[in-house]
């Protein structure tokens, strides 16, 4: 669906995030809004990171840390099972996602 929008799409729903970053958090985000930008700004951001992010070799830098995060995730899920073996994984998936993303983009876990 989005591939038909071309290389510089305007995707509805991000306006509030963009306004918040530009008007209220500009000291933290300076001149780029990254993945939530639109049009030309989004295209320039994507163009600058795409080469490295699309290279499988780039994943080698994070494998050890992501594996540790994945093991921690599975340990938490296993420990949270009830007597019937059921577990609600939503919270654990959110933690895993946050830890994995911050590991890659910030160089370490924040949780």
């Amino acid at each position: 669906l989005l591939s038909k929008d071309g290389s510089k799409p305007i995707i509805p729903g991000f306006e509030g995030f963009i306004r918040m970053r530009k008007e209220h958090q500009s000291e933290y985000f300076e001149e780029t809004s990254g993945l939530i930008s639109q049009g030309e700004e989004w295209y320039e951001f994507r163009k600058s990171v795409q080469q490295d992010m699309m290279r499988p070799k780039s994943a080698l830098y994070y494998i050890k840390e992501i594996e540790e995060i994945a093991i921690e995730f599975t340990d938490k899920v296993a420990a949270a099972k009830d007597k019937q073996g059921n577990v609600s994984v939503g919270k654990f998936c959110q933690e895993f996602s946050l830890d994995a993303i911050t590991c890659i983009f910030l160089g370490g876990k924040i949780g």
Side-chain angles (χ1 to χ4, degrees), residues 2 5 8-15 37-40:
L2 294 177
D5 287 340
K8 302 171 189 171
I10 303 294
I11 302 171
F14 289 113
E15 297 85 6
S37 58
Q38 302 275 12
E40 181 70 29

Side-chain angles (χ1 to χ4, degrees), residues 19-109:
R19 188 175 340 101
M20 178 65 80
R21 280 186 161 196
K22 289 185 177 185
E23 294 175 13
H24 303 288
Q25 298 175 331
S26 60
E27 67 273 11
Y28 301 110
F29 297 105
E30 297 180 14
E31 58 195 60
T32 183
S33 48
L35 294 175
I36 65 166
S37 58
Q38 302 275 12
E40 181 70 29
E41 186 179 7
W42 178 85
Y43 175 75
E44 291 300 322
F45 173 79
R46 181 173 181 229
K47 188 171 72 171
S48 67
V49 300
Q50 185 172 6
Q51 288 297 320
D52 190 49
M53 296 302 288
M54 296 301 288
R55 220 173 309 166
K57 184 178 177 184
S58 297
L60 295 175
Y61 296 113
Y62 314 107
I63 286 179
K64 182 179 180 227
E65 290 84 0
I66 298 297
E67 181 180 23
E68 290 171 3
I69 293 168
I71 291 169
E72 182 180 325
F73 167 77
T74 56
D75 290 346
K76 286 179 179 180
V77 170
K81 288 182 181 179
D82 63 15
K83 291 179 182 179
Q84 290 80 30
N86 299 321
V87 63
S88 179
V89 296
K91 176 183 173 221
F92 300 114
C93 289
Q94 289 173 344
E95 288 177 8
F96 172 79
S97 299
L98 181 63
D99 286 344
I101 290 168
T102 57
C103 175
I104 292 169
F105 291 104
L106 300 178
K109 291 176 23 176

